[in-house]
Short mmCIF file of all heavy atoms in Angstrom, two decimals:
data_model
loop_
_atom_site.label_atom_id
_atom_site.label_comp_id
_atom_site.label_asym_id
_atom_site.label_seq_id
_atom_site.Cartn_x
_atom_site.Cartn_y
_atom_site.Cartn_z
N TRP A 11 -31.82 31.36 -33.60
CA TRP A 11 -31.94 32.80 -33.81
C TRP A 11 -32.42 33.50 -32.53
O TRP A 11 -31.94 34.60 -32.18
CB TRP A 11 -32.91 33.11 -34.95
CG TRP A 11 -32.32 32.95 -36.31
CD1 TRP A 11 -32.65 32.02 -37.26
CD2 TRP A 11 -31.30 33.77 -36.89
NE1 TRP A 11 -31.90 32.19 -38.38
CE2 TRP A 11 -31.05 33.27 -38.19
CE3 TRP A 11 -30.57 34.84 -36.44
CZ2 TRP A 11 -30.11 33.83 -39.05
CZ3 TRP A 11 -29.62 35.39 -37.28
CH2 TRP A 11 -29.39 34.90 -38.57
N ALA A 33 -23.76 13.80 -40.44
CA ALA A 33 -23.03 13.08 -41.50
C ALA A 33 -23.23 13.73 -42.86
O ALA A 33 -22.32 13.80 -43.68
CB ALA A 33 -23.50 11.63 -41.55
N GLU A 95 -7.89 44.00 -46.50
CA GLU A 95 -8.68 42.77 -46.42
C GLU A 95 -10.14 43.08 -46.13
O GLU A 95 -11.05 42.42 -46.66
CB GLU A 95 -8.10 41.86 -45.34
CG GLU A 95 -8.85 40.56 -45.12
CD GLU A 95 -8.87 39.64 -46.35
OE1 GLU A 95 -8.09 39.88 -47.31
OE2 GLU A 95 -9.65 38.67 -46.33
N HIS A 114 -21.22 50.64 -46.33
CA HIS A 114 -20.56 51.76 -47.00
C HIS A 114 -19.68 52.55 -46.02
O HIS A 114 -18.61 53.03 -46.38
CB HIS A 114 -21.61 52.68 -47.63
CG HIS A 114 -22.30 52.05 -48.80
ND1 HIS A 114 -23.59 52.36 -49.17
CD2 HIS A 114 -21.87 51.11 -49.69
CE1 HIS A 114 -23.92 51.66 -50.25
NE2 HIS A 114 -22.90 50.88 -50.57
N ALA A 128 -10.21 59.44 -52.62
CA ALA A 128 -11.30 59.46 -53.61
C ALA A 128 -12.35 58.41 -53.28
O ALA A 128 -13.55 58.67 -53.29
CB ALA A 128 -10.74 59.25 -55.01
N VAL A 137 -23.44 57.32 -48.04
CA VAL A 137 -24.15 57.29 -46.76
C VAL A 137 -24.84 58.63 -46.51
O VAL A 137 -26.00 58.68 -46.08
CB VAL A 137 -23.17 56.98 -45.61
CG1 VAL A 137 -23.91 56.97 -44.27
CG2 VAL A 137 -22.48 55.63 -45.84
N TYR A 171 -19.64 70.35 -43.98
CA TYR A 171 -19.91 70.70 -42.58
C TYR A 171 -21.20 71.52 -42.47
O TYR A 171 -22.01 71.31 -41.56
CB TYR A 171 -18.74 71.50 -42.00
CG TYR A 171 -17.47 70.71 -41.80
CD1 TYR A 171 -16.24 71.22 -42.22
CD2 TYR A 171 -17.48 69.48 -41.16
CE1 TYR A 171 -15.06 70.53 -42.02
CE2 TYR A 171 -16.30 68.77 -40.93
CZ TYR A 171 -15.09 69.30 -41.38
OH TYR A 171 -13.93 68.60 -41.17
N GLY A 176 -26.87 72.36 -41.09
CA GLY A 176 -28.15 72.88 -41.57
C GLY A 176 -29.25 71.85 -41.59
O GLY A 176 -30.38 72.13 -41.18
N ARG A 188 -20.21 73.37 -37.32
CA ARG A 188 -20.22 74.83 -37.51
C ARG A 188 -18.80 75.41 -37.32
O ARG A 188 -18.33 76.23 -38.10
CB ARG A 188 -21.17 75.49 -36.52
CG ARG A 188 -22.62 75.40 -36.88
CD ARG A 188 -22.97 76.27 -38.08
NE ARG A 188 -24.39 76.23 -38.38
CZ ARG A 188 -24.90 76.60 -39.53
NH1 ARG A 188 -24.11 77.02 -40.52
NH2 ARG A 188 -26.20 76.55 -39.75
N ALA A 196 -12.30 80.45 -43.14
CA ALA A 196 -11.25 81.39 -42.75
C ALA A 196 -9.95 81.09 -43.50
O ALA A 196 -9.21 82.01 -43.87
CB ALA A 196 -11.02 81.33 -41.24
N ASP A 213 -24.88 81.51 -31.13
CA ASP A 213 -26.28 81.82 -30.85
C ASP A 213 -27.12 80.57 -30.60
O ASP A 213 -27.95 80.55 -29.68
CB ASP A 213 -26.89 82.61 -32.01
CG ASP A 213 -26.31 84.02 -32.12
OD1 ASP A 213 -25.62 84.44 -31.17
OD2 ASP A 213 -26.53 84.67 -33.16
N ALA A 276 -8.69 105.47 -20.67
CA ALA A 276 -8.74 105.06 -19.27
C ALA A 276 -9.43 103.70 -19.13
O ALA A 276 -8.96 102.81 -18.40
CB ALA A 276 -9.46 106.11 -18.43
N MET A 305 -0.58 103.46 -23.00
CA MET A 305 -1.82 104.09 -22.56
C MET A 305 -1.58 104.97 -21.34
O MET A 305 -2.15 106.07 -21.22
CB MET A 305 -2.86 103.01 -22.25
CG MET A 305 -3.34 102.23 -23.46
SD MET A 305 -4.66 101.08 -22.98
CE MET A 305 -4.85 100.15 -24.51
N ALA A 363 19.36 99.10 -31.10
CA ALA A 363 18.55 100.05 -31.88
C ALA A 363 19.17 100.25 -33.26
O ALA A 363 20.31 99.84 -33.51
CB ALA A 363 18.49 101.39 -31.13
N GLU A 380 28.82 106.29 -15.39
CA GLU A 380 29.48 107.30 -14.56
C GLU A 380 28.70 107.52 -13.27
O GLU A 380 29.27 107.59 -12.18
CB GLU A 380 29.59 108.61 -15.34
CG GLU A 380 30.31 109.71 -14.59
CD GLU A 380 30.41 111.00 -15.38
OE1 GLU A 380 30.00 111.02 -16.56
OE2 GLU A 380 30.91 111.99 -14.82
N GLY A 382 26.88 105.45 -11.82
CA GLY A 382 27.01 104.26 -10.99
C GLY A 382 28.41 104.03 -10.47
O GLY A 382 28.69 102.98 -9.87
N GLY A 383 29.30 104.97 -10.69
CA GLY A 383 30.67 104.85 -10.17
C GLY A 383 31.56 103.93 -10.97
O GLY A 383 32.61 103.51 -10.48
N TYR A 392 31.79 106.58 -23.56
CA TYR A 392 31.95 107.94 -24.10
C TYR A 392 32.80 107.93 -25.37
O TYR A 392 32.56 108.69 -26.31
CB TYR A 392 32.59 108.85 -23.06
CG TYR A 392 31.65 109.26 -21.94
CD1 TYR A 392 32.10 109.35 -20.62
CD2 TYR A 392 30.32 109.58 -22.20
CE1 TYR A 392 31.26 109.74 -19.60
CE2 TYR A 392 29.47 109.96 -21.18
CZ TYR A 392 29.94 110.04 -19.87
OH TYR A 392 29.10 110.42 -18.86
N THR A 402 27.71 116.69 -32.72
CA THR A 402 26.42 116.86 -32.06
C THR A 402 26.64 117.25 -30.61
O THR A 402 27.75 117.16 -30.08
CB THR A 402 25.62 115.56 -32.11
OG1 THR A 402 26.34 114.56 -31.36
CG2 THR A 402 25.44 115.07 -33.54
N ARG A 411 32.79 114.97 -20.74
CA ARG A 411 32.68 114.11 -19.57
C ARG A 411 33.86 113.13 -19.49
O ARG A 411 34.34 112.81 -18.39
CB ARG A 411 31.35 113.35 -19.61
CG ARG A 411 30.16 114.26 -19.34
CD ARG A 411 28.84 113.52 -19.50
NE ARG A 411 27.71 114.37 -19.21
CZ ARG A 411 27.22 114.62 -17.99
NH1 ARG A 411 27.79 114.04 -16.94
NH2 ARG A 411 26.20 115.42 -17.83
N LYS A 416 38.97 111.76 -16.69
CA LYS A 416 40.43 111.58 -16.70
C LYS A 416 41.09 112.56 -15.74
O LYS A 416 42.05 112.22 -15.04
CB LYS A 416 40.96 111.76 -18.11
CG LYS A 416 40.56 110.64 -19.06
CD LYS A 416 40.92 110.94 -20.51
CE LYS A 416 40.44 109.82 -21.42
NZ LYS A 416 40.69 110.12 -22.85
N GLU A 427 44.38 117.21 -23.11
CA GLU A 427 44.21 116.96 -24.54
C GLU A 427 42.72 116.91 -24.91
O GLU A 427 42.30 117.47 -25.92
CB GLU A 427 44.89 115.64 -24.91
CG GLU A 427 44.80 115.30 -26.38
CD GLU A 427 45.46 113.97 -26.70
OE1 GLU A 427 46.15 113.41 -25.82
OE2 GLU A 427 45.28 113.48 -27.84
N GLU A 461 49.87 123.79 -11.26
CA GLU A 461 50.48 125.00 -10.71
C GLU A 461 51.03 125.91 -11.81
O GLU A 461 51.99 126.66 -11.60
CB GLU A 461 51.57 124.66 -9.68
CG GLU A 461 51.01 123.90 -8.50
CD GLU A 461 52.04 123.63 -7.43
OE1 GLU A 461 53.23 124.01 -7.63
OE2 GLU A 461 51.68 123.06 -6.40
N ARG A 468 44.49 133.00 -16.99
CA ARG A 468 44.04 133.48 -18.28
C ARG A 468 42.84 132.68 -18.78
O ARG A 468 41.88 133.24 -19.32
CB ARG A 468 45.18 133.43 -19.31
CG ARG A 468 46.21 134.54 -19.12
CD ARG A 468 47.23 134.57 -20.25
NE ARG A 468 48.12 133.42 -20.25
CZ ARG A 468 48.01 132.39 -21.06
NH1 ARG A 468 47.03 132.34 -21.93
NH2 ARG A 468 48.88 131.39 -20.99
N SER A 472 39.12 134.09 -19.33
CA SER A 472 38.46 134.04 -20.64
C SER A 472 37.04 133.50 -20.50
O SER A 472 36.11 133.97 -21.16
CB SER A 472 39.26 133.19 -21.62
OG SER A 472 39.27 131.85 -21.21
N PRO A 484 30.73 133.06 -12.54
CA PRO A 484 31.21 133.56 -11.25
C PRO A 484 32.27 132.66 -10.63
O PRO A 484 33.23 133.14 -10.00
CB PRO A 484 29.96 133.63 -10.38
CG PRO A 484 28.91 132.85 -11.08
CD PRO A 484 29.25 132.87 -12.53
N ARG A 488 36.12 133.89 -9.70
CA ARG A 488 36.70 133.69 -8.36
C ARG A 488 38.02 132.95 -8.43
O ARG A 488 39.01 133.34 -7.79
CB ARG A 488 35.71 132.91 -7.48
CG ARG A 488 36.19 132.72 -6.04
CD ARG A 488 35.26 131.81 -5.27
NE ARG A 488 35.25 130.45 -5.81
CZ ARG A 488 36.22 129.55 -5.57
NH1 ARG A 488 37.29 129.87 -4.86
NH2 ARG A 488 36.12 128.34 -6.09
N ASP A 492 41.99 133.90 -7.51
CA ASP A 492 42.89 133.10 -6.67
C ASP A 492 44.24 132.88 -7.35
O ASP A 492 45.30 132.95 -6.72
CB ASP A 492 42.24 131.74 -6.35
CG ASP A 492 41.10 131.87 -5.37
OD1 ASP A 492 40.99 132.92 -4.72
OD2 ASP A 492 40.30 130.90 -5.29
N ASN A 517 26.18 136.08 -5.54
CA ASN A 517 27.25 135.14 -5.21
C ASN A 517 28.14 135.71 -4.11
O ASN A 517 28.51 136.89 -4.14
CB ASN A 517 28.11 134.87 -6.45
CG ASN A 517 27.40 133.94 -7.41
OD1 ASN A 517 27.52 132.74 -7.33
ND2 ASN A 517 26.64 134.53 -8.34
#
Side-chain angles (χ1 to χ4, degrees):
W11 280 113
E95 178 62 13
H114 290 151
V137 179
Y171 290 134
R188 282 289 183 198
D213 291 348
M305 293 184 188
E380 182 180 355
Y392 286 141
T402 64
R411 289 175 178 276
K416 291 172 183 176
E427 181 181 350
E461 299 184 358
R468 285 187 291 102
S472 66
R488 183 187 65 78
D492 288 344
N517 284 271

